[in-house]
Amino acid sequence: MAPFAARLLRSPLLPTSVVASTLYMSSASLAADEGKAPAAPSVFPGRSSSGEKLPIYPTPEHTPTVTLVETHNPIVPYITQSREAVSGVLGDAKGAVQGGVSKWISFERGVEREVKSVLPSDEPLNPGLIYVLISGLSGSVLTRTRSLPIRFLAPPIFTLLAFPYFLPKTSHNIRSYFSNLENKHFPEFAAKHDHIVQTGIAHTSGLFYRIGDAAEDAREWGHKAVEGVEKTTGLRLGEAVSRVEKEQGRLAEQKAVAVPVQKYETVGYVVEQKPVAEVVAPVEPKVEKKLV
């Protein structure tokens, strides 16, 4: 078959179209004989396999239907649970911190309020507090050669005794503050304490009353002794004693009478003026005119 086709091509008697058609038919028959399908026709861009022009925009029949299927991630519940647990722990920690800060602020305000109620505004701590500390130190110095209990108890005793003297209002406020705390938290002990204090005050008053009575008795005994001496010796000691007592009474009355304070008013100022420098200038001599 191939030599025959070659001879036809070399023959000048046949036209070219006949040769081409013959070759195409022979190739198709050969392909059919060999069991192979003929080649598919070519498809141009923008056209279908049938040769129709394709549309620019997609048509509904060519648009496929998209169906979304929701699929849960298996670790999402664990992440949610962990986040909620961490948020709860952080919330509890924040609440605890805020509660502690609020308690501390309230404690500071309470301490400030109590300190202001104890410290009077018209009584400065300096130098009264320094005097109180010096008194306590003096107690330690004065009892340095004594036994250990005396050396241990002397400084606080001296301090407590000096505190009401140098800071009377502050001492009174402190006693009132501790008394109120005692009545509030320990009422039974406060009642016993008040009873002991009242008993001590009563005994002290009785002691002073007895001392006054003893002084009066001593004074009467002295008068009797003076009278006995006068009767025995004839000396007038009673007049001298009465004169001394009258003089003491007169001096006490003079001290009791307040001396009026003389007030002064500024009526002027005395200014001392001193020369600072001396300024000199040349003086021309005067020429006397003589009459001719």
Side-chain angles (χ1 to χ4, degrees):
M1 188 66 183
F4 177 74
R7 285 196 299 271
L8 286 176
L9 290 174
R10 288 194 298 268
S11 176
L13 300 176
L14 294 175
T16 306
S17 59
V18 175
V19 174
S21 60
T22 304
L23 290 175
Y24 177 76
M25 292 178 65
S26 61
S27 63
S29 61
L30 288 174
D33 294 339
E34 294 177 359
K36 296 181 180 179
S42 60
V43 180
F44 295 98
R47 295 184 179 274
S48 63
S49 59
S50 60
E52 297 179 356
K53 187 176 181 180
L54 297 175
I56 298 175
Y57 301 101
T59 57
E61 58 271 10
H62 292 87
T63 303
T65 303
V66 179
T67 304
L68 298 178
V69 179
E70 184 178 1
T71 304
H72 296 283
N73 197 329
I75 65 174
V76 169
Y78 300 100
I79 295 175
T80 304
Q81 186 177 2
S82 302
R83 186 176 66 251
E84 291 177 354
V86 172
S87 300
V89 172
L90 293 178
D92 295 340
K94 182 179 179 181
V97 171
Q98 290 181 351
V101 171
S102 301
K103 290 181 179 179
W104 179 255
I105 292 174
S106 61
F107 174 74
E108 284 185 347
R109 291 179 178 176
V111 171
E112 183 181 1
R113 184 171 57 254
E114 296 297 337
V115 170
K116 287 183 178 180
S117 64
V118 169
L119 297 179
S121 59
D122 56 345
E123 186 181 67
L125 293 178
N126 191 19
L129 187 60
I130 297 176
Y131 296 154
V132 172
L133 296 177
I134 291 174
S135 300
L137 183 61
S138 301
S140 177
V141 172
L142 294 175
T143 58
R144 66 183 183 278
T145 58
R146 303 296 179 180
S147 60
L148 181 61
I150 296 176
R151 284 184 293 171
F152 181 76
L153 295 175
I157 290 175
F158 275 65
T159 302
L160 293 177
L161 292 177
F163 198 79
Y165 180 78
F166 293 107
L167 297 171
K169 294 183 180 180
T170 305
S171 176
H172 174 72
N173 293 340
I174 291 175
R175 287 197 304 269
S176 300
Y177 176 73
F178 282 109
S179 178
N180 294 332
L181 288 180
E182 189 179 24
N183 293 330
K184 181 178 180 181
H185 299 285
F186 307 99
E188 297 179 357
F189 181 76
K192 294 180 180 179
H193 187 197
D194 293 339
H195 178 69
I196 293 173
V197 170
Q198 295 297 332
T199 304
I201 292 174
H203 285 296
T204 305
S205 301
L207 178 61
F208 283 119
Y209 181 74
R210 290 180 181 179
I211 291 173
D213 291 342
E216 188 66 26
D217 294 340
R219 190 178 296 108
E220 291 180 359
W221 181 83
H223 285 295
K224 291 180 180 180
V226 169
E227 291 177 358
V229 171
E230 286 181 351
K231 290 179 181 180
T232 305
T233 60
L235 298 176
R236 297 181 179 180
L237 297 178
E239 294 180 1
V241 173
S242 62
R243 192 180 299 112
V244 171
E245 290 179 354
K246 289 180 180 180
E247 186 67 20
Q248 290 179 353
R250 187 179 62 82
L251 293 176
E253 290 178 357
Q254 289 180 357
K255 290 181 180 179
V257 176
V259 179
V261 180
Q262 183 67 35
K263 295 183 179 180
Y264 297 94
E265 181 182 0
T266 303
V267 295
Y269 298 93
V270 177
V271 180
E272 183 179 1
Q273 296 181 355
K274 295 183 179 180
V276 179
E278 183 179 359
V279 181
V280 297
V283 179
E284 296 181 358
K286 295 181 180 180
V287 179
E288 296 181 358
K289 295 181 180 180
K290 296 181 179 181
L291 297 176
V292 179

